[in-house]
């Protein structure tokens, strides 16, 4: 029967050739979109490291010293500005709608910048292997605003107190760590990279800062910049001393009481004393989740676009195959009837038609594979993937296209199954 | 057609999907060149965008930097070129500014610094007031500002605000006019507030003496209708050469990168962040169109072949009664064209609806730099999409699709000898 089918397909080679070309083009495009989709979504399944629900962020602005409305207090100006900023934070903390609030410098998620440096362990021998990380400077209260998560099972009160005492936290790079499982040596070192856990409980120094040492109090989950951003470095949470110089703080992070977001916004916008004080003002109060929308917009759009394009390609494929097989089945009515008369069951007929689709898929896959490896890999369309990853994408493509094929020929095949032999061969 | 109702619908939907995709792709691309107010002369507006400086000798050999130009450098490169009608200097990219309003949270807005010629180069519609002039740019006592309609309403609740003052980051500006809002997709003219090109944006961005000519300015050049762009390029190129001969002793070089950039490049997303030489646009565009047409064409053609085999006896009879091959082919092409056209119209309508209502959920058409989430959600307006080009393209795509799908099957069906054709009438 299989040979029979191949002969029949050979007889209709012209149609089948074009179907295969069509399938190959669709497969090639889907392959391409799958790889693009993977590139975009690679990191979106990793934890974010913070809880953004009920969190607001407001940016700190300063009146330019060249402005006529700038208040100049001579040498005291920066002290006055610091006091004013502290007063604004105190006003926010005093609101009945707010649970916690604190300063942040590079501590706000969904801000795509970075403050990159390294930590080195303080010891008898100079430490040559640093721990490279994105440094986030925050008030101790931010631990509770963002609900940082300890990876060693400590609670937020512990983290809060430790940060208050001037200790710091480190966060591992999840991507790098995953690839190193079981490969660490006795000291926890490998390939010039030190995992975050190796720093826990140690005294460390910032590279290029030979004065200050810090005690690492805990390992926390990395606070990522966005859900799509590659976490290709570790993280460090550094404490901000609110009573000191806070001139370079960029935002205030606020956790409102559950369900009190709108109330807080109204209160903030109708209380000028909460918004500005002499040279310092607060601007652009935003829900952290809205900041997320803006920060992740391009990636979200890309994902939607790729998925939509794949769906559209499948629709085109579906319509084409549905039509082609429909006419094919109509032509084969008498042939199918004869098969039924000769003892073929309905499911035999069904299987035969589906097999026809699968043979076309195999042909198209071979064609796509050859074209894909020859052309796509050499152009800039697909780059930065290992051969294994490309094979995975092709497998994903084959599955997607196979589902498409089965769905397209399901109806014509079902119609063919319903053919009554007596009726079909009546006019023969 | 009525006999194969379902298949007719399959063909129409297949065509509609194809035309829809072609048109959406076309319209997204055409947004970078479409000519609507205020960018009505877009095809004539070229740009001196990036300045790329390399250190070629000395201690810092190998260093390089990119950016816009300083006012001085921009003038040296682009002022007084033959064939250029108007030259305008504007800020390199849009900036976020805070409009301070007493008793309210500051309003985050997008600002653009422009000179007096900017208002001559583009067709802005002034709701009230007038543009500021070249002479007013450096006025420090009453610096001028122009607001967009939306911004004026946000700050003052009205557009009748000429002469009133606006506090931007602490500097007090005086409104000389209010212009109709510009769609952010028109990225060379869109802003919430238009600030004067004052001294704060004319200087270098770098402290290093090597990069003293890199500043925050982009030059816009409006060519005369009959200007040969290559001729302007030659002039600019020789100016680069002259400047470089002076730079040689300083060990630096300002690299010529295909300037002035074309109108297509000036309309592309975040054009100021790329060099026109590195980015060659549009070459792959036609490949995508072809693919989007070819794919459904192959499918529809297969279907058409199936349909022809059904009608082979009818064709045979017609041929037997004296119809010529050509007549048969024309008739079949005509019939198929009705199906294609119906699909085309559906595709056209859906593509407009998609672009106006849904496109911002799938495609980013606005520069992400300096824009709020609300701005990022901008979709094109109808007048940016209803162009004769999109109609011609959809009609053309239908015709090509029709030829691709129907010509060969029709010709083959018409070529079968009438006797054989009639004898095939089984079904």
């Amino acid at each position: 029967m299989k040979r029979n089918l191949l002969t029949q397909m050979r007889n209709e080679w012209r149609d089948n050739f074009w179907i295969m070309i069509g399938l190959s083009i669709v497969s090639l495009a889907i392959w391409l979109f799958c790889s693009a989709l993977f590139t975009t979504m690679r990191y979106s399944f990793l934890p974010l490291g913070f809880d953004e629900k009920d969190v607001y962020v407001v940016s700190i602005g300063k009146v330019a010293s060249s402005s006529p409305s700038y208040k100049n207090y001579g040498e005291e100006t920066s002290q006055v500005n610091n006091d004013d900023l502290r007063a604004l934070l105190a006003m926010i903390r005093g609101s009945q709608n707010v649970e916690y609030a604190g300063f942040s410098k590079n501590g706000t998620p969904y801000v795509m910048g970075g403050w990159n440096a390294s930590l080195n362990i303080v010891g008898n021998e100079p430490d040559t292997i640093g721990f490279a990380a994105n440094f986030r400077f925050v008030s101790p209260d931010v631990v509770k605003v963002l609900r940082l998560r300890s990876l060693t099972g400590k609670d937020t009160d512990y983290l809060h107190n430790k940060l208050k005492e001037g200790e710091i936290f480190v966060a591992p790079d999840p991507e790098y760590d995953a690839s190193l499982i079981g490969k660490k040596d006795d000291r926890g070192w490998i390939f010039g990279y030190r995992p975050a856990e190796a720093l826990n409980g140690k005294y460390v120094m910032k590279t290029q800062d030979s004065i200050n040492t810090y005690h690492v109090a805990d390992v926390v989950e990395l606070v990522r910049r966005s859900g799509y951003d590659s976490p290709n470095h570790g993280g460090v949470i550094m404490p901000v001393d609110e009573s000191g110089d806070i001139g370079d703080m960029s935002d205030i992070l606020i956790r409102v009481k559950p369900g009190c977001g709108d109330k807080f916004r109204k209160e903030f916008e109708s209380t000028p004393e909460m918004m500005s004080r002499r040279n310092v003002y607060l601007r652009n109060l935003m829900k952290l989740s809205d900041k997320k929308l803006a920060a992740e917009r391009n990636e979200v759009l890309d994902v939607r676009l790729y998925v939509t394009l794949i769906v559209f390609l499948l629709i085109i494929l579906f319509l084409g195959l549905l039509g082609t097989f429909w006419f094919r089945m109509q032509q084969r009515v008498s042939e199918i009837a004869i098969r039924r008369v000769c003892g073929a069951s309905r499911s035999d007929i069904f299987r035969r038609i589906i097999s026809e689709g699968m043979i076309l898929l195999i042909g198209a896959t071979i064609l796509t594979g050859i074209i894909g490896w020859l052309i796509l890999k050499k152009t800039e369309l697909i780059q930065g993937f290992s051969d294994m990853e490309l094979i995975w994408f092709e497998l994903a493509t084959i599955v997607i296209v196979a589902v498409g094929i089965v769905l397209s020929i399901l109806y014509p095949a079902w119609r063919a199954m319903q053919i009554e032999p007596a009726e079909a061969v009546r006019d023969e | 057609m009525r006999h194969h109702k379902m298949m007719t619908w399959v063909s129409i939907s297949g065509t509609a999907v194809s035309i829809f995709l072609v048109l959406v792709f076309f319209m997204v691309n055409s947004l970078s060149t479409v000519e609507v107010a205020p960018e009505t002369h877009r095809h004539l507006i070229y740009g001196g965008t990036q300045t790329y400086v390399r250190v070629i000798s000395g201690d810092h050999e190998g260093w390089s930097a990119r950016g816009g130009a300083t006012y001085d450098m921009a003038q040296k490169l682009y002022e007084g070129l033959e064939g250029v009608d108007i030259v305008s200097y504007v800020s390199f990219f849009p900036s976020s500014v805070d409009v301070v309003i007493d008793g309210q949270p500051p309003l985050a807005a997008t600002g653009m610094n422009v000179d007096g010629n900017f208002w001559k180069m583009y067709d802005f519609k002034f709701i009230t007031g007038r543009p500021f002039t070249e002479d007013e740019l450096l006025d420090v006592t009453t610096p001028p500002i122009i607001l967009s309609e939306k911004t004026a309403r946000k700050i003052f609740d009205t557009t009748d605000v000429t002469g009133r003052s606006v506090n931007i980051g602490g500097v007090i500006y005086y409104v000389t006019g209010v212009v109709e809002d510009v769609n952010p997709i028109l990225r060379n003219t869109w802003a919430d507030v238009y600030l004067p090109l004052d001294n704060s944006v004319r200087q270098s961005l770098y402290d290093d003496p090597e990069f003293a000519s890199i500043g925050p300015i982009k030059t816009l050049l409006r060519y005369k209708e009959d200007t040969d762009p290559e001729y302007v390029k030659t002039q600019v190129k020789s100016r680069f050469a002259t400047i470089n001969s002076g730079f040689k002793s300083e060990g630096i070089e300002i690299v010529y990168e295909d300037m002035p950039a074309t109108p297509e490049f000036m309309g592309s997303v975040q054009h100021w962040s790329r060099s026109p030489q590195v980015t060659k646009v549009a070459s792959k565009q036609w490949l995508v169109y072809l693919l989007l047409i070819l794919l459904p064409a192959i499918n529809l053609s297969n279907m058409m072949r199936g349909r022809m085999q059904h009608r082979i006896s009818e064709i045979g009879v017609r041929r037997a009664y004296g119809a010529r091959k050509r007549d048969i082919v024309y008739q079949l092409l005509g019939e198929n064209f009705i199906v294609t056209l119906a699909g085309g119209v559906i595709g056209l309508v859906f593509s407009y609806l998609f672009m106006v209502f849904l496109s911002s959920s799938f495609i980013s058409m606005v520069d992400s730099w300096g824009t709020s989430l609300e701005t990022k959600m901008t979709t094109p307006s109808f007048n940016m999409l209803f162009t004769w080009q999109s109609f011609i393209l959809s009609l053309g795509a239908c015709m090509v699709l029709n030829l691709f799908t129907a010509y060969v099957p029709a010709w083959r069906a018409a070529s079968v000898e009438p006797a054989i054709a009639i004898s095939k009438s089984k079904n």
Side-chain angles (χ1 to χ4, degrees):
Chain A
M1 169 133 163
K2 288 275 146 55
R3 221 181 111 203
N4 206 334
L5 177 64
L6 288 174
T7 314
Q8 191 175 27
M9 288 183 75
R10 203 182 59 206
N11 290 341
E12 286 173 334
W13 72 269
R14 204 187 294 267
D15 268 9
N16 289 332
F17 172 75
W18 285 111
I19 291 178
M20 265 200 277
I21 295 283
L23 277 175
S24 304
I25 296 175
V26 171
S27 305
L28 216 52
I30 293 180
W31 190 9
L32 197 72
F33 293 137
C34 276
S35 61
L37 202 59
F38 178 75
T39 314
T40 315
M41 297 193 62
R42 202 172 223 160
Y43 308 107
S44 61
F45 305 106
L46 296 172
L48 280 171
F50 56 90
D51 175 7
E52 67 201 11
K53 198 167 176 281
D54 296 322
V55 177
Y56 279 72
V57 53
V58 65
S59 306
I60 298 168
K62 293 212 178 90
V63 175
S65 56
S66 57
S67 156
S69 49
Y70 182 74
K71 309 268 187 307
N72 197 336
Y73 300 97
E75 283 180 3
E76 300 290 302
T77 311
S78 62
Q79 184 59 38
V80 169
N81 289 351
N82 281 339
D83 289 343
D84 284 349
L85 197 52
R86 277 188 278 271
L88 290 178
L89 177 63
M91 283 288 293
I92 290 173
R93 281 182 176 152
S95 159
Q96 54 180 2
N97 298 310
V98 172
E99 265 183 2
Y100 302 101
F103 291 122
S104 133
K105 179 175 85 173
N106 191 44
T108 311
Y110 304 119
V111 173
M112 299 313 283
W115 201 103
N116 295 307
S118 283
L119 286 181
N120 294 81
I121 293 178
V122 179
N124 296 331
E125 291 169 38
D127 171 20
T128 51
I129 303 177
F131 173 73
N134 185 18
F135 282 55
R136 297 188 178 277
F137 302 83
V138 293
S139 300
D141 275 12
V142 169
V143 167
K144 294 193 172 183
V145 173
L146 292 178
R147 294 189 174 152
L148 298 188
R149 280 190 47 213
S150 162
L151 289 176
T152 59
K154 307 278 193 323
D155 60 13
T156 43
D157 284 332
Y158 172 86
L159 296 178
H160 182 251
N161 290 336
K162 285 293 170 189
L163 211 56
K164 224 172 183 171
E165 289 162 17
E167 300 196 11
I168 69 170
F169 313 129
V170 290
D173 167 357
E175 195 191 5
Y176 206 99
D177 271 25
S179 65
L180 288 179
I181 289 169
K183 288 186 191 167
K184 294 166 193 168
D185 67 10
D186 302 339
R187 294 171 301 177
W189 298 8
I190 188 96
F191 303 133
Y193 171 84
R194 177 173 292 138
E197 299 83 47
L199 274 74
N200 197 7
K202 301 264 179 9
Y203 280 90
V204 292
M205 293 176 100
K206 267 190 282 184
T207 316
Q208 294 170 335
D209 174 1
S210 52
I211 303 164
N212 299 305
T213 58
Y214 305 90
H215 184 249
V216 178
D218 198 13
V219 182
V220 295
E221 206 165 71
L222 180 72
V223 175
R224 290 172 59 205
R225 295 191 297 185
S226 88
Y228 292 93
D229 185 43
S230 144
N232 60 355
H233 43 54
V236 174
I237 308 284
M238 299 287 283
V240 166
D241 175 11
E242 287 178 6
S243 60
D245 181 13
I246 43 169
D248 57 353
M249 293 295 119
S250 56
D251 306 303
I252 293 178
L253 285 163
I254 305 154
R255 172 167 288 279
V256 296
K257 290 180 181 154
C260 293
D262 289 337
K263 273 193 231 158
F264 172 66
R265 179 186 286 281
K266 273 192 199 123
E267 182 193 357
F268 179 80
E269 289 179 351
S270 58
T271 320
E273 309 86 72
M274 207 185 259
M275 281 189 296
S276 70
R277 225 166 223 260
R278 290 179 280 202
N279 294 329
V280 189
Y281 60 91
L282 301 180
R283 52 187 280 269
N284 213 2
L285 177 73
M286 254 180 133
K287 263 190 210 164
L288 196 55
S289 53
D290 284 345
K291 224 174 168 64
K292 172 198 176 90
L293 285 181
E296 294 183 345
R297 184 174 151 78
N298 282 350
E299 287 84 3
V300 169
L301 290 191
D302 281 351
V303 168
R304 269 189 218 157
L305 187 66
Y306 297 139
V307 172
T308 313
L309 283 170
I310 291 177
V311 170
F312 265 103
L313 285 172
L314 286 175
I315 291 176
I316 292 178
L317 178 81
F318 172 79
L319 292 173
L321 282 181
L322 174 67
T324 310
F325 271 78
W326 174 272
F327 283 111
R328 213 172 250 196
M329 288 313 119
Q330 293 218 324
Q331 270 169 19
R332 290 198 200 150
V333 166
S334 43
E335 171 214 318
I336 292 168
I338 291 166
R339 278 186 203 287
R340 289 289 313 280
V341 171
C342 295
S345 67
R346 281 173 197 257
S347 59
D348 286 339
I349 304 288
F350 186 78
R351 262 204 302 276
R352 186 183 164 89
I353 297 166
I354 298 290
S355 313
E356 200 172 329
M358 290 304 120
I359 293 172
L360 287 172
L361 174 68
I362 293 168
T365 305
I366 296 169
L367 211 61
T368 314
I370 296 169
I371 301 172
W373 286 102
L374 283 182
I375 303 168
L376 286 184
K377 240 193 121 187
K378 285 194 169 63
T379 63
E380 74 270 32
L381 291 172
I382 288 186
Q383 265 182 357
F385 293 110
S386 66
D387 288 356
M388 204 54 223
E389 276 171 330
L390 285 177
I391 290 172
W392 275 113
F393 300 147
E394 192 172 10
L395 286 177
T397 308
I398 294 170
V399 172
I400 294 172
V401 176
V403 171
I405 292 178
V406 171
L407 285 179
S408 332
I409 56 183
L410 213 55
Y411 183 60
W414 180 80
R415 287 282 298 233
M417 266 168 69
Q418 306 304 317
I419 292 169
E420 284 302 329
E423 194 128 325
V425 291
R426 187 177 51 197
D427 302 331
E428 289 296 311
Chain B
M1 268 181 239
R2 252 181 274 139
H3 286 167
H4 293 291
K5 233 186 220 166
M6 182 177 162
M7 284 309 105
T8 305
W9 278 111
V10 168
S11 302
I12 291 177
S13 336
T15 313
V17 171
S18 160
I19 300 287
F20 170 83
L21 287 176
V22 168
L23 276 175
V24 167
F25 188 77
F26 168 78
M27 285 193 274
V28 170
N29 277 309
S30 69
L31 288 176
S32 60
T33 50
V34 68
E35 300 201 321
V36 289
E39 298 196 19
T40 29
H41 296 91
R42 236 171 161 181
H43 68 286
L44 294 176
I45 297 176
Y46 288 66
T49 51
Q50 286 207 340
T51 312
Y52 175 35
V53 175
R54 267 198 319 225
V55 182
I56 47 174
S57 64
D59 292 346
H60 297 160
E61 190 181 334
W63 283 20
S64 67
R66 264 178 197 286
T70 55
Y71 189 61
D72 278 352
M73 181 47 79
Q75 280 194 317
K76 270 186 209 160
L77 290 171
Y78 303 109
E79 191 68 44
L81 293 164
E82 272 179 57
V84 176
D85 226 0
I86 309 172
V87 185
S88 166
Y89 303 100
V90 300
S91 50
F92 186 49
F93 50 70
S95 54
S96 294
V97 295
D98 287 328
V99 183
V100 184
I101 312 165
D102 285 340
Q104 283 180 45
L107 175 72
T110 301
M112 184 178 181
N113 295 78
V114 303
D115 65 358
N117 279 344
F118 179 77
W119 306 106
K120 295 179 192 155
M121 184 172 275
Y122 294 109
D123 297 323
F124 280 91
K125 233 183 217 158
F126 276 81
I127 299 171
T128 53
R130 58 169 181 84
F132 50 70
T133 62
E134 207 64 24
D135 301 332
E136 291 171 292
L137 296 180
L138 301 179
D139 182 349
V140 281
T141 48
T142 53
I145 192 170
I146 287 168
L147 307 177
S148 74
E149 184 184 350
K150 193 177 73 186
T151 316
R153 287 193 194 282
K154 272 189 192 166
I155 306 173
F156 301 107
D157 271 340
T158 168
T159 54
D160 197 17
V161 294
T162 313
R164 292 179 73 170
S165 64
V166 184
N167 180 341
I168 294 197
V171 180
I172 309 295
Y173 293 88
Y174 292 86
V175 181
T176 65
V178 175
V179 288
E180 267 184 16
D181 290 336
V182 177
N183 188 312
I185 294 170
L186 298 172
R187 46 183 62 87
N188 285 303
T189 46
W190 166 73
D192 294 319
V193 295
Y194 301 88
L195 302 150
L197 193 84
D198 57 19
N199 273 330
S200 68
V201 283
R202 294 188 179 199
Q203 313 303 327
S204 173
L205 296 173
Y206 286 85
D207 292 333
D208 314 84
E210 290 92 344
F211 304 130
S213 47
I214 296 181
I217 285 179
K218 174 174 91 176
T219 313
L220 299 167
L221 304 159
R222 184 161 135 187
Y223 290 9
K224 291 174 183 151
E225 278 288 355
D226 55 355
T227 300
D228 173 13
E230 286 308 312
Y231 176 57
V232 183
K233 252 185 199 175
T234 327
Q235 296 174 63
V236 172
K237 211 169 175 176
S238 80
R239 289 195 182 184
F240 269 81
T242 315
I243 291 169
N244 275 331
S245 61
F247 273 172
K248 213 164 194 176
S249 57
E250 296 172 40
I252 55 172
E253 175 196 28
I254 172 165
V255 184
Y256 175 75
E257 291 186 303
D258 230 13
M259 296 291 178
T262 60
E264 290 78 29
F265 181 80
M266 296 298 288
S268 61
V269 174
Q270 241 144 280
H271 63 272
W272 44 265
S273 65
R274 294 171 283 126
S275 146
Q277 195 162 37
V278 178
T279 325
K280 296 276 180 205
V281 232
S283 58
K284 279 181 205 135
Q285 213 161 307
W286 290 105
L287 196 76
V288 178
Y289 288 137
L290 198 71
L291 199 78
L292 289 176
I293 298 263
L294 205 64
L295 196 60
I298 291 171
N299 287 329
L300 295 174
S301 174
N302 274 337
M303 231 155 42
M304 184 75 178
R305 223 191 326 269
R307 188 182 286 187
M308 285 307 119
Q309 274 164 2
H310 259 257
R311 293 180 58 180
I312 201 98
S313 56
E314 173 208 326
I315 293 164
V317 171
R318 283 193 193 186
R319 290 263 285 134
Y321 277 98
R324 286 174 301 175
K325 246 195 235 177
R326 207 172 41 185
D327 299 331
I328 303 276
V329 172
Y330 283 160
Q331 190 213 338
L332 293 174
L333 277 182
E335 275 176 25
N336 196 54
F337 193 60
I338 295 172
V339 174
T340 323
L341 209 59
V345 171
I346 296 172
L348 185 73
V349 171
F350 273 96
S351 62
Y352 282 139
L353 293 176
F354 172 82
M355 287 301 286
V356 173
F357 296 108
L358 285 173
S359 56
S360 72
S361 304
F362 291 88
I363 306 156
S364 171
M365 281 171 289
V366 176
D367 290 358
S368 55
W369 188 272
T371 48
S372 63
L373 186 62
E374 183 198 342
T375 307
K376 285 185 180 129
M377 298 297 285
T378 308
T379 57
S381 53
F382 262 116
N383 67 337
M384 296 171 93
L385 303 170
F386 267 117
T387 56
W388 60 268
Q389 287 99 328
S390 62
F391 283 106
I392 297 282
L393 181 78
S394 47
L395 194 68
C398 281
M399 279 157 77
V400 171
L401 198 60
N402 186 40
L403 273 182
F404 272 165
T405 53
Y407 186 77
V408 175
W411 182 255
R412 277 167 55 87
S415 303
V416 178
E417 284 302 317
I420 298 172
I422 296 166
S423 76
K424 276 191 174 180
S425 68
K426 280 192 294 188
N427 302 313

